[in-house]
Amino acid sequence: MLLRLTWLLLQKDLRVAARSREVFGFMLLFALLCVVVFAFGFLREGEAAAAQVPGVLWVTLLFAGTVGLLRLFAAEEEGGTLHLAQRTLAGPHPLLLSKSLMQLIFSGVTTLLLLPVVLVFFDAALVQPAPVLAALALGLVGQAVLGALVAALLVHVRLREVLLPLVLYPLLAPLLIAGVRVTVLAQGNAPAETVDSWLGLMAGYDLVVLATAPWLHARVVEP
Amino acid sequence: MTRLAAEAVGWAVEGRFVLVDVALALPAGSLNVLTGENGAGKSTLLDILAGARKPARGHVALDGVPLAEIAPAHLARRIARLDHTPGLYLELSALENLQLFHGLVQSPGAPLDAAALLERVGLAARDQRRPVRGFSRGMLQRTALARVLASGADVWLLDEPSTGLDRAGCALLADVLADVRARGATVLLATHDPALLPLADARLHLSHGRLVAAEVA
């Protein structure tokens, strides 16, 4: 039941996104713009540009993800459908799950397109790509679920554009720190145990978020 | 038999009571009209009756069971709400909207003839397949009415349902309401439209948050 209803809502979100063409394009454009701005800000002649890659990559993904999150419930707000989408046969869970998946799809595709751009722009190479890809996957899952939850909590708040990053960024700090550390370590030949401990932290963080987000969401949306 | 009942319902905003001791009993198969000046608390009362807001005081019961004890999913099947927003995804077609909302509250395989419902509310076949973003206010209202029909709910709570409708649309609305009442549904509609008043089995009037008159036609 949960999966069927989640799929129903996700299909709807994909259809809305394809027809409105407003979210994904802006996310990607914003991410590229961030990379260019960071390049202007951080690149110095004679300094190794590759050292900037971990910070630039993760902060860019955080910022681009925020663009998607700010529009995550736009269709519901515009048409007044939020209460209808929350009251399903499986309660409000399919809505949170579908929104998390939607955010994950957008930020995942953005990451896949952005990663090569960052590597080329900063003349860097990933010595160990597997841990970086694993860290990105874990980071994006955490950001998508927690981001969807915070976006849902703030949906009726007037200053949500300002509040969303203020609430979300501190919560995502552990993922950001761990993601940057894994990327730094993967650029060199760091021992596997060190990388694994950071990945373990990210996986643990995601598990806590996945376990608590649906409960918190249901508590907040109930009248 | 009373289908939906409210007892001593109160609602406060910033310490000020918007609804005070509202009590009503809506029988099954009845069409009830709720009137009142702007800001009298009509929409708030409909929200509370739909279970979308918890009353600060009192309680609401559906078939004798307090709303607080009914699972939201079951409530969504029983009570349909039409408010000031159309309750539609604007990038989806009318058909897609109906299929989506039906799928969210009904079991898989539950029959739905969305095209027939949209035809019933006067939406031409060519309009049924285009995104509702391009619809006029009246067409949106007709589609929203079809969404309520598709829900299969037996309690209808409608807030200004004739908004944006032309004369033919109003006649169609009256026809649909008479039809669902005849099939045993309970309808409560808040309206300022005098054309809808003659339809009522009972008229309720709210003034400054108090139900001051309940009159059986």
Side-chain angles (χ1 to χ4, degrees), chain B residues 25 58 90 110 120 146 150:
Chain B
L90 302 185
R120 170 92 174 84

Side-chain angles (χ1 to χ4, degrees), chain A residues 88-113:
Chain A
T88 72
L89 280 181
H93 301 318
L95 181 65
L96 181 71
L97 200 52
S98 65
K99 292 295 180 186
S100 304
L101 287 169
M102 191 64 196
Q103 175 70 12
L104 189 60
I105 290 169
F106 276 165
S107 50
V109 176
T110 303
T111 306
L112 288 176
L113 296 173

Side-chain angles (χ1 to χ4, degrees), chain B residues 68-141:
Chain B
E69 291 173 20
I70 302 174
H74 184 66
L75 216 52
R77 277 175 142 166
R78 295 288 311 274
I79 301 180
R81 176 93 163 85
L82 179 64
D83 55 28
H84 297 291
T85 55
L88 300 167
Y89 284 100
L90 302 185
E91 300 300 340
L92 301 187
S93 70
L95 272 173
E96 288 167 338
N97 266 295
L98 258 58
Q99 283 156 353
L100 171 70
F101 291 119
H102 183 263
L104 290 179
V105 295
Q106 298 294 339
S107 309
L112 169 73
D113 192 346
L117 287 178
L118 289 167
E119 227 165 89
R120 170 92 174 84
V121 297
L123 219 60
R126 66 175 184 284
D127 290 325
Q128 294 179 8
R129 293 183 186 280
R130 65 183 175 99
V132 301
R133 180 176 289 287
F135 279 16
S136 68
R137 183 72 185 88
M139 287 166 82
L140 282 174
Q141 197 69 357

Side-chain angles (χ1 to χ4, degrees), chain A residues 1-212:
Chain A
M1 178 73 73
L2 176 69
L3 291 180
R4 181 182 74 83
L5 296 176
T6 302
W7 174 234
L8 204 60
L9 286 168
L10 182 62
Q11 270 182 309
K12 175 268 299 171
D13 277 336
L14 289 168
R15 209 170 276 163
V16 168
R19 289 177 191 170
S20 67
R21 294 193 203 117
E22 58 179 25
V23 182
F24 180 65
F26 287 132
M27 261 178 94
L28 190 61
L29 203 64
F30 187 73
L32 292 172
L33 195 65
C34 282
V35 172
V36 173
V37 170
F38 285 140
F40 286 143
F42 293 142
L43 293 185
R44 297 279 180 278
E45 220 170 288
E47 284 180 22
Q52 311 294 339
V53 166
V56 169
L57 179 66
W58 282 88
V59 172
T60 300
L61 290 176
L62 183 69
F63 287 171
T66 309
V67 173
L69 290 170
L70 286 171
R71 298 293 298 164
L72 203 56
F73 288 92
E76 279 74 16
E77 286 177 76
E78 207 178 15
T81 54
L82 189 62
H83 62 293
L84 296 167
Q86 283 168 346
R87 284 193 166 186
T88 72
L89 280 181
H93 301 318
L95 181 65
L96 181 71
L97 200 52
S98 65
K99 292 295 180 186
S100 304
L101 287 169
M102 191 64 196
Q103 175 70 12
L104 189 60
I105 290 169
F106 276 165
S107 50
V109 176
T110 303
T111 306
L112 288 176
L113 296 173
L114 190 72
L115 186 58
V117 174
V118 173
L119 293 176
V120 169
F121 230 84
F122 286 80
D123 192 23
L126 292 178
V127 179
Q128 302 179 66
V132 176
L133 293 177
L136 284 170
L138 291 168
L140 293 182
V141 167
Q143 188 195 31
V145 179
L146 198 58
L149 174 68
V150 174
L153 303 188
L154 296 177
V155 79
H156 295 303
V157 177
R158 201 159 43 90
L159 287 173
R160 62 185 169 279
E161 292 85 358
V162 180
L163 284 174
L164 189 125
L166 286 179
V167 175
L168 187 62
Y169 290 0
L171 294 172
L172 287 177
L175 278 183
L176 187 68
I177 294 165
V180 170
R181 291 306 304 158
V182 170
T183 314
V184 169
L185 292 168
Q187 279 185 301
N189 282 311
E193 311 85 69
T194 322
V195 174
D196 288 349
S197 66
W198 285 109
L199 287 175
L201 175 83
M202 295 179 86
Y205 184 96
D206 281 0
L207 283 177
V208 172
V209 168
L210 285 166
T212 53

